[in-house]
Amino acid sequence: MRIYSFYEKASRAFNDHPSLSKVLAVVVVSGGTGGGLLAYSDSKSYNVEQAVSSPNAENKKKKLVVLGTGWAGTSFLKNLKNPSYEVHVISPRNYFAFTPLLPSVTVGTVEPRSICEPIRKMVKKKDVDISFWEAECLSIDPVTKKVKCRSTQDADSKEKAEFAVDYDYLVIAMGARSNTFNTPGVEEHAHFLKEVEDAQKIRQSIIDCFEKAALPTLSEEERKRILHFVVVGGGPTGVEFAAELHDFVNDDLVRLYPKVKELVKITLLEATDHILNMFDKRITDFAEEKFHRDGINLQTGSMVVKVTDKEISTKALKNGGQISSMPYGMLVWSTGIGARPVIMDFMKQINQGKRRALGTDEWLRVEGTGEIYALGDCATIVQRKVMEDIGEIFKKADKDNSGTLTVKEMQELVDDVLERYPQIELYLKSRKLKSIVDLMKDAKGDASKESVELNIEEFKSALSEVDTQMKNLPATAQVAAQQGTYLADCFNRMEECEKNPQGPIRIRGEGRHRFKPFRYRHFGQFAPLGGEQAAAQLPGDWVSIGHSTQWLWYSVYASKQVSWRTRALVVGDWTRRFMFGRDSSRI
Amino acid sequence: MRIYSFYEKASRAFNDHPSLSKVLAVVVVSGGTGGGLLAYSDSKSYNVEQAVSSPNAENKKKKLVVLGTGWAGTSFLKNLKNPSYEVHVISPRNYFAFTPLLPSVTVGTVEPRSICEPIRKMVKKKDVDISFWEAECLSIDPVTKKVKCRSTQDADSKEKAEFAVDYDYLVIAMGARSNTFNTPGVEEHAHFLKEVEDAQKIRQSIIDCFEKAALPTLSEEERKRILHFVVVGGGPTGVEFAAELHDFVNDDLVRLYPKVKELVKITLLEATDHILNMFDKRITDFAEEKFHRDGINLQTGSMVVKVTDKEISTKALKNGGQISSMPYGMLVWSTGIGARPVIMDFMKQINQGKRRALGTDEWLRVEGTGEIYALGDCATIVQRKVMEDIGEIFKKADKDNSGTLTVKEMQELVDDVLERYPQIELYLKSRKLKSIVDLMKDAKGDASKESVELNIEEFKSALSEVDTQMKNLPATAQVAAQQGTYLADCFNRMEECEKNPQGPIRIRGEGRHRFKPFRYRHFGQFAPLGGEQAAAQLPGDWVSIGHSTQWLWYSVYASKQVSWRTRALVVGDWTRRFMFGRDSSRI
């Protein structure tokens, strides 16, 4: 499970503290020349080129603005090596968080700071001019090529400065928000688990529930309600949180809050029939059995329809849709993601209003814009369908304009076509065919023939089913990190590939694409199940479950840490947990 | 510097997890019998005796309520071994915090959780029935012997349950609050440094200032203002914080925020002429010189008179009291403590309204109440004056009622008198006299004589100056911890000492006091000065300054940790800081 590609380089970070006089030069010098407070205005937006000290050399640099410091943005920045850009990073968080460990942070198995690395530290080794501004993006204007931002400090102050930043290239990597599917009461009463702050709040809230249940004023019924923890969403995050919570309660809390063991209840609600349904059935079965043994109450086929401060109403998706309700003390909502408001506004501007995430082409460029790229959870790659281009493919391949396609003609174009339309390869695999030529032969009904000729209608019919194999990529750290690396690589070779394009032949145009399209490589996925057991599904349907898998998980997650500091801290946290348990101080 | 006396026992904590079925039995069972929610009312206050399961055995237990889990309260609970009490601990914090490391927490040298230990964990090894309720004390009623409390959870909820607890003995160890001396604007704009949360807020605020100053919209003047950190109070806490901040900026932040080095300014304001004025002059001089070399702006003789969101107004205490003002970005207020509102209300009830802290006798009993004890920062020992009791002392000593006191008569009472009035010993020391008999001889003007006889007037004149040596104890962790240990020892031997009193002879009454009065033993004090240097003043005017003292500081503070867990974490944090520096993620 290769989540993060810069592990190799991170090992150099330790004991490596070069002086960084250039990193923030732009920011500080600009203040000197700018004079007073420069608020946002269209006519006088913040222009970095005016401010840099050496206009001759620097003016040639193109301004590259990166929004976000999550997996996608950070992976992009770490891998960007081309010094011909002036990079401005804008994010409300001045750190990168290793989000796969967030469920561990909710109960103190790992401390919040152990999974955070300041973004300035991560990008400071570059020769590239990178400045960071802690601000949130308010709007993107693709016409004037400006991003409007607002400082995140002083939440209640009038000082919250707004400013605008010009860009030549814009990389949108802002991630997503939790999706409540407009279920009433969720926004107000549920905890989410996307940010480090969310995990900290969950931790406090768990302790609050135990302290509250220990007070002398409560009835037994109230105590039971307060100690009922509900998790909505049977995906890896929800399952891992439920498992961590179960371990926290049984390993640590029951010792300090005896007698509550009989009162504590953990419920996991899942709308479909099984938890972890993106995993192999063996894993799902194991997880469900383990949760059953652990006494975690598993309610599948049950959808939350309403949440109040003390009750959750659910609707059974079978058996006539019966509505029932349960009292609860704490609710963690971990099901599905949605687009952030600023992304939704931007999508409306560029006529993508009906999408759920920013649509990009296979090179991560946002459809309908110039030089705007989007990656990670805020974006989705809209793979071109073969059937949309079938006429052009036929024409490109039929070099002699004979109106029929021979095997030889097809073979000349086959590599480019397979690169451009990865669904063809998936389809061939699913049909257990070796090549597209076999498909052509198959279409003619005679696979033994050496030479086949297809006219356009026969060609269409041969490929008519391939688009059914198109799949959206999952919203995971793995995808985001690979996209960041890919895009950085494109920017690194931008000038080179303009001259010598390396991508596939343009089917609808002339020449070749500059770059090869992004291709995701799946390295597998873990599902920690608590009690020092985990499940892993690796490529090739390789499934591993149990205690040894938990140790594999430990070693993979330790190795994937982004710095020696966080690696030492995370391993230290695990060791501390083994020796002393988890802390239950309410801070 | 022996801050905490239970170090010896803490070593047993590791790998020692007995089952604790009794600790919370009272709380949980009471819920079962109580039925509904039992709100506060005078007629139906929460009575633990009604609820305990075994009335015959348990009803005999006296109810001991402890308010607070700071140094005093925790030290009391750790040392309480007498199983004949039913103990209820009430505090808004479910943990003990090792407060002397708070300045280190403000900049991330030590993590907040490394100095916190759950109070339930600390007291769970006892045979004593101890239950903890996370609640704040709202009022104390010494007439009905009830404490009114309110749950601290759900700050905005109506649920905040109020309840009352009966007591037979009450131990008040609620600490103090920061004192703003009613300086306008301090409450609103300053940071304090008393709680773990304060330290966490300061840490965020420092990073906020640096991130804000890095934004492109600010003028040079604004940047300078934002990066001006002001500390008010030149005591050990203020000095240590200023030193830690200086190290954080210079060791860590300047690498990530280059060019700000010239803009950052740290100012330490002190009203008197010198910082650290409770220390030896050598330490003060060294500290002032070091701060001067470090570029920390030291303004002594300057009192803050007003604070707004961006400016601090100060008044020079000399040279005509000139008022001046300085722009600032962050202010930490660390000068003086005051009584908490609930303590002030209680003081009014018991006619102590004019005091600054709860006055107790030398046995830590609150004056004017029955079995209420107060210790730590919320209390002050009102030492009985010799001159108030001089007639009774004379009468007690003059056994033959001759109207004159011989050396022999005095010698019989001298140990009790010295124990009851410690100021006499201090006075003898200051006059370099060996014993009270020397003082008597001295009064007669002839020290060579073997036998001296004094009448009452001569006796009065001999002792007339001794009360000038009375001193209030400092509000330190050391004092609070020693008081807790002392009081626990009294409770442990309560029955025994009722029968066989071990204290000095009662001067105004008959017989002896049950216990020896509390006597503080000063083990010295540290002042960390940053840059791996510290100063220490140990008993006997032994002064140590420099790098080696910092290592002494490390070893003392590591050894004084209250558990193996916190010890491992604090040492781990120091190691992490040495290897990787301090984290600047804004979480």
Side-chain angles (χ1 to χ4, degrees):
Chain A
M1 185 178 166
R2 189 179 150 90
I3 292 173
Y4 217 65
S5 72
F6 47 84
Y7 164 42
E8 298 80 11
K9 289 147 211 162
S11 53
R12 276 185 268 154
F14 177 44
N15 279 337
D16 177 8
H17 292 296
S19 95
L20 284 170
S21 51
K22 273 187 183 174
V23 173
L24 263 195
V26 172
V27 176
V28 178
V29 174
S30 74
T33 57
L37 186 118
L38 193 54
Y40 174 75
S41 75
D42 274 349
S43 58
K44 203 192 173 191
S45 69
Y46 180 69
N47 188 318
V48 178
E49 274 191 35
Q50 293 168 357
V52 287
S53 46
S54 156
N56 289 341
E58 307 279 355
N59 266 348
K60 285 174 199 159
K61 286 196 174 181
K62 294 249 185 177
K63 273 174 288 175
L64 169 58
V65 172
V66 180
L67 303 176
T69 52
W71 281 98
T74 307
S75 163
F76 174 76
L77 290 168
K78 284 285 285 188
N79 288 284
L80 187 69
K81 290 188 186 75
N82 191 335
S84 61
Y85 301 100
E86 179 186 289
V87 186
H88 298 284
V89 186
I90 298 163
S91 169
R93 289 192 310 269
N94 75 351
Y95 56 87
F96 164 81
F98 191 90
T99 48
L101 284 177
L102 273 186
S104 301
V105 173
T106 57
V107 298
T109 307
V110 168
E111 288 299 328
R113 263 175 213 283
S114 307
I115 64 165
C116 294
E117 185 73 5
I119 195 73
R120 292 169 189 277
K121 217 171 194 170
M122 292 181 75
V123 302
K124 76 171 180 167
K125 280 164 293 180
K126 312 234 130 251
D127 325 318
V128 190
D129 241 9
I130 299 183
S131 61
F132 173 80
W133 295 327
E134 195 183 87
E136 60 177 329
C137 172
L138 296 180
S139 65
I140 298 161
D141 187 342
V143 180
T144 58
K145 291 191 160 195
K146 276 185 209 311
V147 175
K148 191 172 154 186
C149 305
R150 185 168 57 194
S151 154
T152 48
Q153 287 105 25
D154 291 334
D156 349 88
S157 146
K158 288 169 229 156
E159 261 183 64
K160 266 201 160 187
E162 286 185 9
F163 58 98
V165 181
D166 296 345
Y167 66 81
D168 294 309
Y169 298 100
L170 180 65
V171 174
I172 305 176
M174 297 167 73
R177 58 172 184 80
S178 294
N179 198 344
T180 65
F181 305 104
N182 294 322
T183 314
V186 174
E187 199 73 62
E188 299 89 314
H189 303 296
H191 288 274
F192 301 102
L193 190 43
K194 285 209 69 73
E195 313 284 342
V196 176
E197 285 91 343
D198 294 339
Q200 288 176 304
K201 275 186 209 148
I202 289 174
R203 186 172 184 180
Q204 281 197 347
S205 185
I206 295 168
I207 303 295
D208 273 353
C209 288
F210 275 85
E211 287 298 346
K212 210 191 292 178
L215 288 177
T217 55
L218 297 182
S219 69
E220 190 81 352
E221 201 186 335
E222 270 290 281
R223 277 182 229 282
K224 271 192 181 169
R225 177 185 72 74
I226 289 167
L227 292 174
H228 185 201
F229 300 92
V230 180
V231 185
V232 176
T237 308
V239 165
E240 189 179 346
F241 170 69
E244 284 273 9
L245 179 61
H246 174 264
D247 286 357
F248 184 30
V249 171
N250 286 277
D251 296 351
D252 305 283
L253 293 180
V254 288
R255 288 185 186 165
L256 302 182
Y257 303 78
K259 295 259 170 160
V260 295
K261 195 170 182 174
E262 297 107 70
L263 299 172
V264 177
K265 188 172 155 193
I266 300 171
T267 297
L268 180 59
L269 295 175
E270 163 61 37
T272 67
D273 285 345
H274 291 285
I275 60 169
L276 297 178
N277 48 34
M278 65 292 289
F279 282 87
D280 190 280
K281 200 175 169 300
R282 286 166 286 177
I283 291 178
T284 300
D285 288 348
F286 182 87
E288 288 180 353
E289 256 170 55
K290 183 175 186 305
F291 274 21
H292 185 71
R293 277 199 313 278
D294 286 348
I296 295 174
N297 176 28
L298 205 61
Q299 282 191 25
T300 53
S302 152
M303 197 176 77
V304 175
V305 289
K306 194 183 156 196
V307 176
T308 67
D309 59 340
K310 291 181 182 173
E311 270 194 352
I312 297 170
S313 303
T314 57
K315 187 181 170 182
L317 291 180
K318 289 178 180 171
N319 305 327
Q322 205 194 334
I323 303 269
S324 54
S325 75
M326 57 175 91
Y328 79 100
M330 200 189 106
L331 166 64
V332 173
W333 189 267
S334 152
T335 170
I337 55 169
R340 293 186 188 277
V342 52
I343 297 289
M344 287 202 283
D345 289 345
F346 179 55
M347 288 197 293
K348 274 176 208 153
Q349 282 184 67
I350 57 170
N351 297 320
Q352 292 200 3
K354 284 178 189 166
R355 287 195 191 281
R356 311 190 108 208
L358 265 175
T360 71
D361 64 17
E362 297 86 339
W363 291 266
L364 311 183
R365 269 180 315 205
V366 176
E367 289 182 342
T369 66
E371 292 295 358
I372 301 183
Y373 298 81
L375 56 169
D377 288 1
C378 68
T380 185
I381 295 173
V382 184
Q383 172 63 46
R384 174 89 77 166
K385 288 183 181 153
V386 170
M387 292 317 282
E388 275 174 10
D389 292 348
I390 192 80
E392 279 80 4
I393 298 171
F394 189 86
K395 229 193 273 175
K396 273 265 159 163
D398 182 22
K399 280 203 175 164
D400 58 2
N401 284 322
S402 63
T404 56
L405 212 56
T406 63
V407 167
K408 196 168 166 267
E409 279 174 334
M410 194 62 219
Q411 264 164 346
E412 268 176 41
L413 198 67
V414 72
D415 288 345
D416 291 294
V417 167
L418 287 180
E419 191 158 48
R420 186 73 186 83
Y421 307 97
Q423 60 265 48
I424 298 176
E425 207 158 334
L426 292 173
Y427 180 74
L428 294 176
K429 227 179 228 174
S430 75
R431 290 280 312 274
K432 290 178 180 153
L433 295 169
K434 265 187 219 159
S435 77
I436 199 167
V437 176
D438 289 344
L439 196 67
M440 287 166 71
K441 288 178 185 167
D442 212 45
K444 275 295 217 191
D446 189 355
S448 59
K449 261 191 188 171
E450 266 306 292
S451 69
V452 189
E453 277 194 32
L454 274 70
N455 63 22
I456 176 76
E457 289 309 319
E458 287 165 335
F459 188 62
K460 267 188 197 172
S461 129
L463 292 169
S464 61
E465 298 284 306
V466 295
D467 288 333
T468 58
Q469 292 295 322
M470 293 197 319
K471 273 179 193 162
N472 282 334
L473 294 176
T476 62
Q478 214 175 152
V479 170
Q482 286 184 26
Q483 290 182 334
T485 311
Y486 165 81
L487 192 63
D489 193 49
C490 293
F491 273 88
N492 290 342
R493 296 184 297 124
M494 189 73 92
E495 295 87 357
E496 181 193 336
C497 293
E498 294 275 8
K499 286 175 212 150
N500 305 308
Q502 296 177 354
I505 284 174
R506 286 181 199 270
I507 297 296
R508 283 171 179 258
E510 288 307 310
R512 290 185 163 273
H513 289 278
R514 285 179 302 181
F515 308 107
K516 295 193 173 189
F518 171 73
R519 196 67 73 82
Y520 171 60
R521 213 176 137 197
H522 186 64
F523 288 94
Q525 196 172 6
F526 279 101
L529 301 173
E532 295 298 310
Q533 298 195 65
Q537 183 164 1
L538 300 153
D541 275 336
W542 197 70
V543 165
S544 160
I545 305 176
H547 293 285
S548 56
T549 314
Q550 179 73 21
W551 284 98
L552 180 66
W553 183 88
Y554 281 129
S555 50
V556 168
Y557 274 57
S559 75
K560 294 302 172 201
Q561 291 302 313
V562 295
S563 74
W564 281 103
R565 191 187 69 87
T566 57
R567 188 167 303 121
L569 291 179
V570 164
V571 174
D573 285 347
W574 287 332
T575 315
R576 178 209 12 95
R577 206 272 296 159
F578 273 109
M579 293 179 71
F580 304 109
R582 302 167 187 87
D583 184 30
S584 60
S585 306
R586 197 204 169 278
I587 51 167
Chain B
M1 185 179 164
R2 189 179 153 90
I3 291 176
Y4 219 69
S5 72
F6 47 84
Y7 164 43
E8 297 80 12
K9 289 147 212 161
S11 53
R12 276 185 268 153
F14 177 45
N15 277 337
D16 176 8
H17 293 295
S19 97
L20 283 171
S21 52
K22 273 188 183 175
V23 173
L24 263 195
V26 171
V27 177
V28 179
V29 174
S30 74
T33 58
L37 186 116
L38 193 55
Y40 174 75
S41 75
D42 274 349
S43 57
K44 203 192 172 191
S45 69
Y46 179 70
N47 186 319
V48 178
E49 272 188 36
Q50 294 169 355
V52 288
S53 46
S54 156
N56 290 341
E58 308 278 357
N59 266 349
K60 286 173 200 161
K61 286 197 175 181
K62 293 251 185 175
K63 274 174 286 173
L64 169 57
V65 172
V66 180
L67 303 176
T69 51
W71 282 97
T74 307
S75 162
F76 174 77
L77 290 167
K78 285 285 286 188
N79 288 284
L80 187 69
K81 292 187 185 75
N82 191 335
S84 62
Y85 301 99
E86 180 187 290
V87 186
H88 298 283
V89 187
I90 297 162
S91 169
R93 289 193 308 271
N94 76 352
Y95 56 88
F96 163 80
F98 192 90
T99 48
L101 284 177
L102 273 187
S104 302
V105 173
T106 57
V107 299
T109 307
V110 168
E111 288 298 327
R113 263 176 212 282
S114 307
I115 64 165
C116 294
E117 185 73 5
I119 195 72
R120 294 171 187 274
K121 215 171 196 171
M122 292 181 77
V123 301
K124 75 171 180 167
K125 279 165 291 179
K126 313 232 132 252
D127 326 317
V128 190
D129 241 10
I130 299 183
S131 61
F132 173 81
W133 296 326
E134 195 183 86
E136 61 179 328
C137 172
L138 296 180
S139 65
I140 299 161
D141 187 343
V143 180
T144 58
K145 290 193 162 195
K146 277 185 208 307
V147 175
K148 190 173 154 186
C149 305
R150 186 168 56 194
S151 154
T152 48
Q153 287 106 26
D154 291 335
D156 350 85
S157 147
K158 286 169 232 158
E159 261 183 64
K160 267 200 159 187
E162 285 186 9
F163 59 97
V165 181
D166 295 343
Y167 65 81
D168 294 310
Y169 298 100
L170 179 65
V171 174
I172 304 177
M174 297 167 72
R177 59 172 184 80
S178 294
N179 199 343
T180 65
F181 305 104
N182 294 321
T183 313
V186 174
E187 201 73 63
E188 298 90 315
H189 303 295
H191 287 274
F192 301 103
L193 191 42
K194 286 209 68 73
E195 312 284 343
V196 177
E197 285 91 344
D198 295 338
Q200 288 175 303
K201 275 185 209 151
I202 289 175
R203 187 171 183 180
Q204 280 197 348
S205 185
I206 295 168
I207 302 295
D208 273 353
C209 288
F210 275 85
E211 286 297 349
K212 210 194 290 178
L215 287 176
T217 55
L218 298 182
S219 69
E220 191 82 351
E221 201 185 336
E222 271 290 282
R223 278 182 228 282
K224 271 191 181 171
R225 177 186 73 73
I226 289 167
L227 293 173
H228 185 201
F229 300 92
V230 180
V231 185
V232 177
T237 309
V239 165
E240 189 179 345
F241 170 68
E244 284 273 9
L245 178 60
H246 174 264
D247 285 357
F248 184 31
V249 171
N250 286 277
D251 296 351
D252 304 284
L253 293 180
V254 288
R255 288 186 185 163
L256 302 182
Y257 304 78
K259 295 258 174 161
V260 296
K261 197 172 181 176
E262 296 109 67
L263 300 172
V264 176
K265 189 173 155 192
I266 300 172
T267 297
L268 180 59
L269 295 175
E270 164 62 36
T272 66
D273 285 344
H274 292 285
I275 59 169
L276 296 177
N277 48 35
M278 65 292 288
F279 282 87
D280 190 280
K281 199 176 170 298
R282 285 166 285 177
I283 290 178
T284 300
D285 289 348
F286 182 87
E288 288 181 351
E289 256 170 56
K290 183 175 186 306
F291 275 22
H292 185 71
R293 276 201 311 277
D294 286 348
I296 295 174
N297 177 28
L298 204 62
Q299 283 191 24
T300 54
S302 152
M303 197 177 77
V304 175
V305 288
K306 193 185 156 196
V307 176
T308 67
D309 59 339
K310 291 182 183 172
E311 270 196 349
I312 297 170
S313 304
T314 58
K315 186 180 169 184
L317 291 180
K318 289 177 181 173
N319 305 327
Q322 205 196 332
I323 304 267
S324 53
S325 75
M326 56 175 92
Y328 79 101
M330 199 189 106
L331 167 64
V332 173
W333 189 267
S334 153
T335 170
I337 55 170
R340 293 186 187 276
V342 53
I343 297 289
M344 287 202 282
D345 289 345
F346 179 56
M347 289 198 292
K348 275 179 207 151
Q349 281 184 68
I350 55 170
N351 297 319
Q352 291 199 4
K354 284 177 187 166
R355 285 196 193 283
R356 310 192 109 207
L358 265 174
T360 72
D361 64 17
E362 297 86 339
W363 291 267
L364 310 183
R365 270 179 318 205
V366 176
E367 289 182 340
T369 66
E371 294 294 1
I372 301 183
Y373 298 81
L375 55 169
D377 288 1
C378 68
T380 184
I381 296 173
V382 183
Q383 172 63 45
R384 175 88 78 165
K385 288 182 182 155
V386 170
M387 292 316 283
E388 276 174 9
D389 292 349
I390 193 81
E392 279 81 2
I393 298 170
F394 189 87
K395 231 193 275 176
K396 275 267 153 145
D398 182 21
K399 280 202 173 163
D400 58 2
N401 283 322
S402 63
T404 55
L405 211 56
T406 63
V407 168
K408 196 168 167 269
E409 281 173 334
M410 192 62 219
Q411 265 164 345
E412 270 175 38
L413 198 68
V414 72
D415 288 347
D416 291 294
V417 168
L418 287 180
E419 190 158 48
R420 185 72 186 81
Y421 308 96
Q423 61 265 47
I424 298 177
E425 209 159 331
L426 292 173
Y427 181 74
L428 294 175
K429 227 179 229 171
S430 76
R431 291 279 313 271
K432 290 178 182 154
L433 296 170
K434 266 187 218 159
S435 76
I436 199 166
V437 177
D438 289 343
L439 195 67
M440 287 167 71
K441 289 177 184 168
D442 211 45
K444 276 296 218 188
D446 189 355
S448 59
K449 262 191 189 170
E450 265 307 290
S451 69
V452 189
E453 279 194 34
L454 273 71
N455 64 23
I456 175 76
E457 289 310 317
E458 286 165 335
F459 188 62
K460 268 188 195 171
S461 131
L463 294 168
S464 61
E465 297 284 306
V466 294
D467 288 334
T468 58
Q469 293 295 323
M470 294 196 320
K471 273 178 192 162
N472 282 334
L473 294 176
T476 62
Q478 213 175 151
V479 170
Q482 286 185 26
Q483 290 181 335
T485 311
Y486 165 82
L487 193 63
D489 192 50
C490 293
F491 273 87
N492 290 341
R493 297 182 299 123
M494 190 73 91
E495 296 87 356
E496 180 193 338
C497 292
E498 295 274 8
K499 288 175 209 151
N500 306 307
Q502 297 177 352
I505 285 174
R506 286 180 199 271
I507 298 295
R508 283 170 178 259
E510 289 307 310
R512 291 186 163 272
H513 291 276
R514 286 179 300 180
F515 308 107
K516 295 194 174 188
F518 171 72
R519 197 66 72 80
Y520 170 61
R521 216 178 134 194
H522 186 64
F523 289 93
Q525 197 173 3
F526 279 100
L529 301 172
E532 294 299 309
Q533 298 195 64
Q537 183 163 3
L538 300 153
D541 275 338
W542 197 71
V543 165
S544 161
I545 305 175
H547 294 285
S548 56
T549 314
Q550 179 72 23
W551 285 98
L552 181 66
W553 182 89
Y554 282 129
S555 51
V556 168
Y557 274 56
S559 75
K560 294 304 171 198
Q561 292 303 314
V562 295
S563 74
W564 281 104
R565 190 186 70 87
T566 57
R567 187 167 304 120
L569 291 180
V570 164
V571 174
D573 284 347
W574 288 331
T575 315
R576 177 209 15 92
R577 207 270 297 158
F578 274 109
M579 292 179 72
F580 305 109
R582 302 167 187 87
D583 184 30
S584 60
S585 306
R586 197 204 168 279
I587 51 167

